[in-house]
């Protein structure tokens, strides 16, 4: 049973700005997909979803390459959502500029900005911005070290090998109450320990397999923060899912598109084609949370209990290029039915 108050657990939605389809089957343009994401965020805000997270990608199948710009647009059209990147690929960006962007977002949103830092599951940003993949680990290690200094919001003196040194440099604008920082981790113990060392929040990306297998990483995070003397924040998870009115409708709506999306990625990663049987198995036993509101709520509640979570974000658009209307319905059901059901289930123990 979770040790947290069910009412205090946050439930969010996550998207990479995947290109949805029109009702006639044609794909949205990138511009249309960005506007569709804004529409989905506004709906989420209006029905009580706690957070909205957008990822950074530089690929043709995703529309969002600039999370702070997307989030700034959402900020001016919403009132309650926490607004986060998921993730900001810090390795191929400049920490000073990123801090300025998110501090600006924090002002626009009246303190609702958060950032989730990561190394990136795709690597297109490295050659795009002139970085070498052989520096993949060093870039993140140095830049998160600089980020840890920047979020103190005091003049920074810093030097490293991946960007010019700073000498008593002050960065603006200042935030009113600080900037919440998470680190997105996909399953590396070293990344968990690094996150604990800096005292940042841990956001686990669970995209396949049973969520229970991530329990050792959460235990490691808590142990490491205790040893470092840093704060162990409530842990978050982001995981793919989709909600429809019935289980069969949800599965039938997304299977072909989800399998196609997995194949596009799998071409470069050596993944076999996704069969209907493996798809069903991942829903029944793995991380994929798909079905009716009750089915999805039951699975989320079980994950929250098992991992003792403080935040759960459903990645509602990575299930493939499905119609925008179906995505809107999924968002609606998540906020109006799934989240209340999860809270009731957790309250019952």
């Amino acid at each position: 049973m979770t040790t947290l108050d069910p009412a205090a657990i946050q439930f969010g939605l996550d998207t990479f700005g995947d290109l949805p389809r029109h009702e006639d089957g044609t794909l949205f343009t990138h511009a249309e997909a960005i506007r569709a994401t804004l529409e989905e965020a506004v709906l989420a805000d209006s029905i009580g979803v706690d957070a909205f997270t957008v990822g950074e990608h530089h690929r043709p199948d995703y529309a969002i390459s600039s999370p702070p710009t997307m989030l700034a647009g959402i900020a001016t059209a919403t009132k309650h959502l926490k607004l986060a990147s998921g993730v900001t690929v810090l390795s191929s960006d400049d920490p000073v500029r990123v801090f300025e962007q998110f501090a600006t977002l924090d002002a626009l949103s009246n303190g609702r900005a958060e950032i989730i830092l990561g190394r990136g599951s795709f690597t297109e940003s490295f050659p795009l911005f002139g970085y070498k993949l052989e520096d993949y680990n060093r870039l993140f290690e140095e830049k998160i070290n600089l980020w840890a200094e920047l979020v103190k919001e005091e003049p920074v003196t810093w030097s490293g090998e991946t960007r010019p040194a700073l000498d008593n440099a002050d960065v603006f604008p200042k935030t009113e109450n600080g900037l919440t920082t998470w680190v997105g981790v996909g399953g590396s113990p070293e990344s968990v320990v690094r996150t604990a060392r800096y005292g940042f929040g841990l956001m686990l990306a669970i995209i396949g397999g049973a969520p229970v297998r991530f329990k050792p990483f959460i235990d490691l995070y808590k142990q490491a923060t205790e040893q470092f003397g840093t704060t162990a924040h409530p842990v978050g998870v982001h995981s793919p899912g989709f909600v429809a009115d019935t289980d069969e409708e949800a599965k039938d709506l997304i299977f072909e598109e989800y399998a196609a999306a997995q194949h596009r990625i799998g071409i470069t990663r050596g993944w076999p084609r996704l069969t209907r049987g493996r798809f069903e198995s991942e829903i029944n036993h793995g991380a994929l949370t798909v079905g009716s509101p009750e089915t999805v709520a039951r699975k989320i509640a079980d994950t929250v209990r098992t991992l003792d979570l403080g935040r759960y974000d459903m990645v509602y658009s990575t299930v493939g290029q499905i119609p925008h209307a179906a995505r809107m319905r999924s968002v609606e059901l998540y906020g109006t039915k799934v989240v209340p059901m999860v809270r009731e289930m957790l309250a019952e123990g």
Side-chain angles (χ1 to χ4, degrees), residues 217-229:
F217 293 105
I218 296 175
D219 294 339
L220 175 62
Y221 173 70
K222 294 176 180 178
Q223 293 165 6
T225 55
E226 184 175 351
Q227 291 183 9
F228 288 126

Side-chain angles (χ1 to χ4, degrees), residues 81-103:
L81 290 170
K82 292 183 180 296
L83 302 172
S85 60
V87 300
T88 291
V89 185
L90 193 66
S91 310
S92 57
D93 213 326
D94 183 79
V96 174
R97 191 63 177 140
V98 172
F99 178 85
E100 292 174 340
Q101 291 166 339
F102 277 84

Side-chain angles (χ1 to χ4, degrees), residues 99-110:
F99 178 85
E100 292 174 340
Q101 291 166 339
F102 277 84
T104 302
L105 170 64
D106 198 59
L108 285 171
S109 63
N110 290 306

Side-chain angles (χ1 to χ4, degrees), residues 58-82:
H58 305 268
R59 297 167 54 87
D61 39 348
Y62 302 122
I64 299 173
S65 60
S66 177
T69 308
M70 183 76 243
L71 293 170
I74 295 172
T76 60
T78 59
K79 295 181 180 180
H80 309 293
L81 290 170
K82 292 183 180 296

